[in-house]
Amino acid sequence: MNYFLIIFLVFSSYFMFGQKQGYSIDIQANTGVTSKGFGIKIEKGISQAKVFLTRRDSVGVWDKKDKRKFNRLEKNILKGRVTVDYASLVIDSLNLKYNYNSKDSFSIDLSNPLIQLTDSIFVTSKNILENYNPHRIVMDGTSVRIQLSDNDSFRRISVRSPSPDSHTLIYKLITNVLIYYRQQGPQILKTKNETSGY
């Protein structure tokens, strides 16, 4: 999709629906080859926004109970008893249970340009954000899953190795948050090496 068309659609949506007053954008990025992972969660409130960051330090071994839960879930997917979206939520929660993370956070004013960007992303359609391109093939790379939620809605977005050309808005959000954070005396995610080049 043309870059200028994407920007036009985003700003059209933004001005049509107005600023979202309160919401959460949760980004989880995982790189298969290196097993590196990091997270960015933006929670916009009434008077300010809070940004939470995580860096995966290690992964524990699943206990027998959770392995059985996963196996049952796998069978139920094959039999059509549960949706893939529901299964993804359960698997994500199991993975998080065994991830050992370092954490940091910071607050930002609602006048910060980052919030204008998150407002725009929140009202942009899933199709535009995912920008599916059958001709783009990424074998490894970084898997990025995003959850957008407020009191009225919940959406999940999945992309692989977002770049300025493939997933402009998602790439811009990840990199702009990290650039801003790294200017504030970061405790974690200090270099691009910790965030798969972002």
Side-chain angles (χ1 to χ4, degrees), residues 1-40:
M1 185 178 290
N2 184 292
Y3 173 78
F4 294 106
L5 178 59
I6 291 173
I7 298 300
F8 172 75
L9 290 170
V10 168
F11 282 102
S12 296
S13 298
Y14 181 72
F15 289 113
M16 186 181 299
F17 297 109
Q19 288 186 322
K20 295 297 291 181
Q21 294 305 309
Y23 56 75
S24 172
I25 299 177
D26 190 353
I27 303 167
Q28 296 297 320
N30 298 288
T31 304
V33 175
T34 61
S35 296
K36 288 186 177 179
F38 67 95
I40 299 169

Side-chain angles (χ1 to χ4, degrees), residues 28-32 36 38 138 140-144 159-162 195-196 198:
Q28 296 297 320
N30 298 288
T31 304
K36 288 186 177 179
F38 67 95
V138 180
D140 294 315
T142 302
S143 173
V144 177
V159 299
R160 185 166 287 278
S161 296
T195 53
S196 305
Y198 292 101

